Structures are given as structure tokens and as C-alpha cells.
Amino acid sequence: MPFVAVITDHPEQANLLPRLFSQQAITVETYTYNELDLVPQTTEVVFADYNGSQLQTDALILLQSRLNAAPISALIHNRELTVVTRAIRTFASDIFHPTGHFAEDSAEVISSFYRLQRKRAHSLAQQKELHIKLKNSAHAVLSPKVKKVPNTIQKIEQPVLILDSDNRIVGINSAAQLLMGLSEEDVYGRRVEHFLMLTEDERKNIREGKSFRGEFSASSFVEMSVGYTITPRFDDNGAMLGAMVIFKDITEDKIRRVQAEKSEKMQTLGEIAAAISHEVKNPLAGIKSMVQAISVDLDPKTEMYQYVNQISQEVSRINKFIEDTFAFARHKRQRIVKIAVPEIIDSVLALLAENFKSSGVQVFKHYEPNLPMLRVDADQIRQVFLNVVMNAVEAMNQANGGLGATEKKLEITAHQTIVFTGGETRPYVETLFHDTGPGAPSQVLSKVFDPFFTTKSSGTGLGLAICYKIIHEHHGQIELLNRRGGGATVSIRLPVLFLSRFEDKLKDPDVALATNASQNGAQEGNRALVQNVTQEIKSREKSIAESAVLRS
């Protein structure tokens, strides 16, 4: 069944095109310009609202390069010649002018769809023909003396490429074929530059027989980082034969490196914040005391009293910022207790009940049965959940335009999951907070947990930074994601087994004194949990894979 992606920031347009395509048995999904990275590679045709702006132009050019053979039809409402010309010159394969009349638009959009389908089929045929020519020419220029990869290389578990002196691939083992998603016939004789974005300096290093390292990102079912090492190959007489490329999955290493850098950054900022808080707080207290002393002798009706009162309010505001900064900087000793996540969530929701009522926010809770108890600092985790919920309510209240008219809903889900970390699986409890707000721009997502970063006019930028610090100290994970279709999701994962700061053991005196039998029973229970959740993950992946096959 054909798959069509509709790109629009206008809710009324988001309803029109799916209705037109539904009569033709065509699958259609709608995305905003902030969700272009969600458009699947299997997309055959794209219809995009276009107003001629440079931002939309750049976004659609990038989308076209990523989707390769999927043509784009520009939906232009104002019929300006400059907008039409710009669309055709940059990215558009077709132009569609919606009239607002369902019958006319239906006929025109379906005609546009089939024109784009023909163009896509022609483009794919050209690519296939070019691919065959390239492969044939590559085999034609290969030296008959070149040998394929030896059996010893084939047996290596790491992905390996063998290059000749002209940087052409003359050998590839099975692991490299699996990594690249290509067969030996697809890559044999092609230059390595077709697969690795090498700089001029790196190509020079290969020519001069120097070893070097690099890395790139690859996507299969999940995003992964791949590192590679290129080393020269020499014969017995010292003449250079070419090079060898060895790949390694460095996803976990990169994640740990980023986390270490972030932790170091947090620690440095904490020390700076503590120093500033100490130096500023004392003079600030003196200023406030003198202002209060002056205000005692002033008539509240005078202009001077209003000035002094305004000074007092500003001092209080600065003091609040200093207190937040000091809360981020100081290390508070954790008071670990056994508690269930639903208990923490319910206490937060009870505290904000009046806030929900005045804001018109509906709250929905979904707790998986038999959730394990966690060993956490309940007050700190409650502070994190409170901050996340208040941010969600504020985002829904500030939403404007079409999103502002939607129903305000906050959906909170708590369930067991498995997190692969440190080369092994660990049981976690994940809490998800889904809201119907506007979401966050893509350029903001990577910075929301940085100290002093804020998009609010009166914010300090420390709320989510403190949340990140607390969850990190509990050996957990916190993440902010945009929801497909609008809104945002905050995911908080906390380990079922409490990890001390110094060793990967249960920090529990009862556990330390337990018998071997009880320890074995706990291990069996954890192993059963891992097996059950892992089986569920495999089942979901199988369903996703089957859906992808049916769609293609």
C-alpha cells in the first residue's frame, strides 16, 4: 500500500489530505516541520505546505536528500509566482494549489500523487541502472592480481574492509557486510569514500601509509555510533599494498563519555554556583535588612515608600535565584527508603489538585500491577516529579494557536522495563509523563538539562538541571522527547536495585545479613523479571518488523 507523508503546521490542512487519500486506499501520516526526522525512509510521496520561507526551503531540501527517491509536491495557498518559482528550483517535483472545494481538490491531489509516483518509479529505475553500471565498471578496473579477503579475516568477529592501493574495497568479511547492510558484490571494487566521509587529510594519511581513527553514526533499528581504525598494509619488501579498515561499535563508550563530560560540567558549575551563592547571599541579607528598616519610617501612601517596596521585592527575587543556585550546588545526603513509585506520584498529584482544577488539566494514571518497591530518597524523587508535572501544566497553559484549543491532558504511566547498560541488562521502573502541550523545538531538546538554560522570561534554568542531578545520583536516566502528533514526553527510569556511589551492590543492611538462600531467591526473581520484560521487548520488535514489511 503506498505511503504518503503530509508536512504541515496547519491543523485544518492536516485533516484535509488524509480525507482525500482515504478514498484511494493510500496510507497517509501527518507531520509538522519540527517532526521531519520522524518521516520514515519507506515514504513514497511527500505533500508539504510551503510559504516560501528560507526555513521551510532548507528543511524540505534536507528531507529530500534523506528520502532520496521520494518526490515532493508543494502545497502553495497564495499562488505567488516567486514562491512557486522558488519551490520548483529547490525541491518541488510538482505544485498543488488547494482551492477549498473538496471535489476539485480531491481530483487534483490524486492526479498530483500519480504524477509523483511515475516520477519516483523513473528515478528508481535510473538509480538501478546507474548502480549496475558502477558495479560493472568497478569490476572492470580491478587488477586481476587482487585477491579477496582471506579466510582468517572472515573469521574475525569485528567488521573488516580490505583496501587496495587505490582505496578500492577488495575484501569484506561477514561482520562488515552485516554492519553496512550490503553484500560483497555491492561493495567490491568501489572506493571506500562511497561509504566513509573521509577528509582530505585522512585520504592523505592513507596515501602516506599512516594509521588514524575516526567515527560516524549509523542507523539500523537503533541509532549507533561506529568507530573505525585505518592502518596500512605492506608486503614482505615494505611496499604498501593498501590499507585495512576495522570497525567497532562505540555507542556505549560514547554515551559514557558524554555522561562523564556532563557530570564534570555539572560539578564545575556546582562549585562556581556555591562560591557565588556564598559571596552574594550575605551582602544581599544586609541590603534587605536596611531596606526594611527604612520602610518602617515611611508612609505607605508616599512615592518613596513605593520605591523602597519595589527594591525589597527585587531583592527577594534575587535571593530566590541565589537559593535555587545553592540548592543545585550543594550535595545533599540522601535519605534512602523503600517506597513505590505510584505512592510518590499520588502525593504529587494531591499537592497540585487545585492547580489542575484551575488550569482545566485532566490527569490520567496507568500503573502496571505489582510494580517493585524502589530504594530512593523519596523527597528528592518527589521534587523531580513535582517539577516535571508543573512544567507540563505550564506548557499546556502557554500553548497558543491550534494547540491551545486542544484538550489539556496529562497522562502518567509507570511500568517495569529493562535497560541495557554496562554490557548487561538491569531491571528499572520507568515513569512517563505525556502532555498535550506544544512540545520543544529540536534545538532545545539537547540543552534542557543544562544548568542556567531556560526558554522562560523569568526562569532561572535550574529546575530541570536539578532534576537531572538527582536522577543521575540515583543511577537513573531522565529524557525529554517530543511526541508524534504533538506534545512532549518526559521519561524517568530508576533502577530496581539501588546502586551505591562506590560499588555495584545492594545498599541495604538487611540484604547484607541475608542468607545464601534468600540471596538466591532474589536473584531468581530478578532473573525472571529480566526474562519476562526481554520477551515482551522481542515481541514488540517482531510486531514492528512485521508492520514495516506489510507497509513496504
Side-chain angles (χ1 to χ4, degrees):
M1 184 179 293
F3 183 82
V4 175
V6 176
I7 314 299
T8 178
D9 288 330
H10 303 288
E12 65 277 4
Q13 191 65 40
N15 295 327
L16 174 63
L17 290 181
R19 193 153 59 105
L20 295 177
F21 284 117
S22 63
Q23 300 177 352
Q24 303 293 322
I26 298 172
T27 303
V28 59
E29 289 286 349
T30 304
Y31 307 87
T32 65
Y33 273 92
N34 288 332
E35 300 174 327
L36 294 187
D37 56 332
L38 300 178
V39 179
Q41 294 283 351
T42 54
T43 301
E44 298 182 15
V45 173
V46 177
F47 283 83
D49 262 337
Y50 182 64
N51 59 17
S53 69
Q54 187 62 46
L55 188 64
Q56 288 190 356
T57 302
D58 294 341
L60 293 174
I61 291 174
L62 183 62
L63 176 66
Q64 188 178 55
S65 65
R66 185 170 70 84
L67 297 182
N68 192 10
I72 301 177
S73 177
L75 278 65
I76 300 177
H77 299 267
N78 54 20
R79 295 176 178 265
E80 290 184 8
L81 182 60
T82 54
V83 177
V84 174
T85 303
R86 187 171 194 177
I88 294 175
R89 286 180 175 177
T90 52
F91 67 87
S93 301
D94 200 25
I95 302 294
F96 171 50
H97 294 289
T99 64
H101 299 287
F102 183 77
E104 295 180 14
D105 287 345
S106 179
E108 179 57 29
V109 76
I110 296 303
S111 298
S112 177
F113 169 76
Y114 285 112
R115 285 196 298 270
L116 294 178
Q117 278 283 66
R118 289 193 294 271
K119 181 176 180 61
R120 179 175 182 272
H122 179 66
S123 176
L124 289 174
Q126 285 185 322
Q127 288 185 18
K128 185 175 181 180
E129 183 180 355
L130 179 61
H131 176 74
I132 293 173
K133 288 181 179 179
L134 285 173
K135 186 165 69 172
N136 292 339
S137 62
H139 281 292
V141 299
L142 282 176
S143 169
K145 296 181 181 179
V146 174
K147 297 182 180 180
K148 293 188 178 182
V149 61
N151 290 332
T152 53
I153 302 297
Q154 283 286 7
K155 295 178 181 179
I156 296 178
E157 293 183 1
Q158 286 183 293
V160 175
L161 293 179
I162 303 297
L163 310 181
D164 65 7
S165 57
D166 199 26
N167 286 352
R168 296 184 183 277
I169 299 172
V170 294
I172 177 172
N173 69 351
S174 301
Q177 294 178 46
L178 183 62
L179 172 69
M180 300 170 68
L182 298 170
S183 65
E184 187 175 11
E185 290 74 19
D186 293 329
V187 302
Y188 198 70
R190 299 182 65 181
R191 290 185 179 276
V192 72
E193 289 91 335
H194 286 287
F195 309 100
L196 292 180
M197 301 297 292
L198 299 177
T199 65
E200 182 57 39
D201 288 340
E202 290 173 334
R203 287 194 288 268
K204 183 180 178 182
N205 287 338
I206 295 178
R207 291 194 299 269
E208 294 177 354
K210 297 179 180 178
S211 300
F212 63 92
R213 295 179 179 180
E215 65 180 63
F216 63 92
S217 296
S219 295
S220 51
F221 289 105
V222 295
E223 189 74 19
M224 63 182 296
S225 297
V226 179
Y228 60 88
T229 302
I230 299 183
T231 56
R233 296 187 302 120
F234 300 95
D235 62 14
D236 296 336
N237 298 321
M240 194 170 72
L241 298 175
M244 177 185 295
V245 186
I246 302 176
F247 298 96
K248 181 183 179 182
D249 183 359
I250 60 171
T251 306
E252 287 289 335
D253 295 338
K254 192 170 184 179
I255 291 174
R256 283 194 292 268
R257 185 169 69 244
V258 171
Q259 289 177 343
E261 291 173 354
K262 194 173 186 69
S263 297
E264 184 178 355
K265 180 180 177 182
M266 287 280 194
Q267 183 178 353
T268 303
L269 285 172
E271 293 171 357
I272 295 173
I276 293 174
S277 298
H278 178 74
E279 293 298 328
V280 175
K281 200 170 179 62
N282 291 335
L284 206 61
I287 293 172
K288 188 167 186 177
S289 298
M290 287 185 284
V291 168
Q292 289 174 342
I294 294 172
S295 64
V296 172
D297 299 327
L298 296 177
D299 185 352
K301 297 180 180 179
T302 62
E303 186 176 9
M304 182 61 69
Y305 180 86
Q306 300 300 325
Y307 289 153
V308 172
N309 188 52
Q310 185 67 32
I311 293 173
S312 179
Q313 291 177 2
E314 291 301 311
V315 168
S316 297
R317 188 174 67 84
I318 296 173
N319 189 60
K320 175 65 169 58
F321 173 75
I322 294 299
E323 288 178 351
D324 289 344
T325 305
F326 190 68
F328 168 75
R330 72 172 181 261
H331 175 72
K332 184 180 178 181
R333 185 174 181 179
Q334 295 176 343
R335 298 178 59 187
I336 304 301
V337 297
K338 284 185 178 181
I339 193 169
V341 167
E343 184 179 339
I344 301 177
I345 297 173
D346 290 342
S347 66
V348 170
L349 297 182
L351 185 64
L352 297 176
E354 289 299 322
N355 193 319
F356 295 143
K357 187 175 180 180
S358 61
S359 301
V361 175
Q362 301 180 61
V363 180
F364 301 89
K365 300 181 297 183
H366 307 282
Y367 300 150
E368 184 178 290
N370 303 320
L371 282 174
M373 301 280 283
L374 299 184
R375 294 185 54 80
V376 297
D377 186 316
D379 290 336
Q380 289 188 353
I381 300 302
R382 190 176 291 109
Q383 177 186 351
V384 172
F385 286 4
L386 181 64
N387 191 294
V388 170
V389 172
M390 290 180 66
N391 281 349
V393 173
E394 185 176 350
M396 289 187 282
N397 287 337
Q398 292 180 350
N400 51 32
L403 284 172
T406 60
E407 203 170 6
K408 298 176 184 177
K409 293 182 180 180
L410 177 62
E411 185 178 349
I412 304 176
T413 304
H415 64 96
Q416 298 182 68
T417 187
I418 290 296
V419 175
F420 296 89
T421 177
E424 60 183 67
T425 58
R426 294 184 183 274
Y428 279 65
V429 171
E430 181 178 35
T431 307
L432 299 172
F433 299 84
H434 305 292
D435 66 56
T436 56
S442 56
Q443 63 270 23
V444 171
L445 287 175
S446 60
K447 302 177 181 178
V448 289
F449 298 110
D450 289 349
F452 308 110
F453 175 82
T454 181
T455 57
K456 305 174 185 177
S457 58
S458 59
T460 62
L462 287 173
L464 287 177
I466 293 174
C467 291
Y468 178 90
K469 183 171 181 281
I470 291 173
I471 297 300
H472 181 71
E473 288 175 350
H474 281 79
H475 302 277
Q477 301 171 353
I478 182 170
E479 190 175 12
L480 173 64
L481 303 168
N482 281 328
R483 297 184 70 184
R484 184 173 178 178
T489 297
V490 175
S491 168
I492 298 175
R493 293 179 288 271
L494 293 167
V496 173
L497 303 179
F498 180 81
L499 304 178
S500 72
R501 296 177 59 200
F502 305 103
E503 57 186 353
D504 185 1
K505 293 181 180 179
L506 288 174
K507 189 177 182 181
D508 187 341
D510 297 334
V511 173
L513 298 174
T515 62
N516 291 333
S518 62
Q519 289 179 346
N520 292 336
Q523 292 174 358
E524 288 298 326
N526 292 330
R527 189 177 296 112
L529 171 61
V530 170
Q531 291 175 349
N532 290 340
V533 180
T534 304
Q535 187 64 34
E536 182 181 350
I537 292 173
K538 290 181 178 179
S539 177
R540 290 178 182 176
E541 289 179 345
K542 182 179 179 182
S543 299
I544 293 171
E546 291 175 350
S547 299
V549 171
L550 289 174
R551 176 176 287 179
S552 62

